Amino acid sequence: MLVRNVVTWNTLMCGLADFGAGFRSILNLGFQYFKRMLSQTVGPDSITFSSLLRMSIELNDIEIGRQLHCFITKFGLYAHCLLSSALVGFYAKFGLVGDARCIFDCCLERDLVLWNVMVSCYAMNCLEKEAFLVFSLMRLEGVKGDDFTFSNLLNSSTILGFTELGSQLHSLVIRLSFDLDVVVASALVDMYAKNENIVDARKAFDAMVLRNIISWNTMIVGYGQNGDWKEAMELLGQMFQEDFLPDELTLASVLSSCGNLSSSIETTQLHAYAIKNGFQAFLSIANSLINAYAKSGSIDTAFKCFISIAEPDLVSWTSMIRAYAFHGLPRKSIEIFEEMILNGIRPDRVAFLGVLSACSHGGLVHEGLNYFNLMTNGYHIEPHSEHYTCLIDLLGRAGLLDEAFSVLISMPTEPESDELGAFFGACKVHGNSRLAKWAAEKLFVLEQGKPVNYSLLSSMYASVGCWFKVARVREMMRDLCNHKVPGCSWLE
């Protein structure tokens, strides 16, 4: 072209911004064209700069964005709503909330997009309360909001855990008829589910006029996270009846529910569906199958799923380590752990917890101590409560009560009920009433109304013939605990 105007250059810039994502060379080319544009005395406008800001975000280059901000000010475009929104979004992506707010405050005429970007900026940077303050200011200025506004606010109320605030938003959503929007309605379901109000989540789901795959997944995942695994599986059946096909997330979530219910038949059926529809190639599905088969008692099938993965990730290895530990095969668990390290996969806290659990259940004291030392000194991973529980259980099962006691009192934090419970159980098995009494007294403070602690101490005293102490502990249990619910079990 012999003559190029700003529209011509903007078309080129927008194209590079749209199709250059992930290609640094293409994005850098956009800035070279911008220099040529300036050298040809073509003045950029708001569309030019919004495209360039998108490129700087893709390049993850804060300095280029700041230079563009200077250009925008120099060309007198700083009060333009489109550019203010682009700048707020740019600074939000880099966590510079203060700079974003300054731009927002300097813009005298704010449109709905700018309000939404500011709300999103606070929500994105974990400043949920500030997001609601901006929304309040927005309402005072007569701006009602749209589906994007309410989706962001519902997600923020979920993070804050404010169920009452979420319910108020729900009322406003209904009043403004945004409950008919599938995105907002799905956010409502998610908000109630994550606040453990699964009944209202289901009501919001049933009230939806239109549903998409995200809506179904939100409800199924919500059931799974709240322990309503049977309902999650039933909802999958309803999903099929309404001609919706599950995706990767649906299958992974329902497989997790199948594992928690030890439902081997449903796991096999979902496995067949995954193979038939090409989902087995997804790592999340393969990992879910390993867990589901392991929890259903089919450890051999779990291993077949593991070896079918072309490139197992950390979750795959960890799932198999924990599966063998769960089935009382500590040597197999250790073999998988060692093979994982040989394959260059760096273990994390969960992987070490799996191998420590295997050592604990297999009575492999030497190996367990080595892995605990490897975790803390070799990989510099700080142990959590679960790791200490495994270590104490490992030592306690082997009768090394003094060593387990030393671990308890040397912990960087006060021992919690899990560590004390493991130690207490070991003391009872090995008949050490002195240390058992010490652990029990601490457990009575942490879990005053839990009858199992009193029952264990009482039975231990009975085993050594201290009937007066048995009577005193049972009296304490009657006074401080509710009725003990008898245990139950079932077979599929």
Side-chain angles (χ1 to χ4, degrees), residues 6 10 34 37-38 42-53 67-88 102-104 106-109 111 114:
V6 68
N10 283 347
F34 176 60
M37 177 182 176
L38 294 176
V42 179
D45 62 6
S46 58
I47 296 172
T48 319
F49 284 114
S50 64
S51 298
L52 291 168
L53 283 167
Q67 290 172 22
L68 289 171
H69 190 179
C70 293
F71 268 112
I72 290 165
T73 306
K74 183 179 177 180
F75 281 94
L77 298 169
Y78 55 87
H80 199 285
C81 248
L82 173 64
L83 278 181
S84 294
S85 300
L87 281 168
V88 170
C102 285
I103 294 161
F104 176 79
C106 289
C107 188
L108 300 178
E109 294 184 10
D111 61 4
L114 181 55

Side-chain angles (χ1 to χ4, degrees), residues 416-422 424 440 443-457 473 476-485:
E416 298 177 6
S417 57
D418 288 339
E419 296 100 304
L420 289 166
F424 183 30
L443 278 169
F444 292 161
V445 174
L446 291 171
E447 300 176 331
Q448 191 178 36
K450 194 170 182 180
V452 65
N453 299 324
Y454 298 90
S455 297
L456 283 172
L457 186 62
V473 171
M476 287 171 62
M477 184 169 72
R478 281 194 299 271
D479 294 339
L480 299 172
C481 302
N482 295 321
H483 177 68
K484 185 178 176 182
V485 180

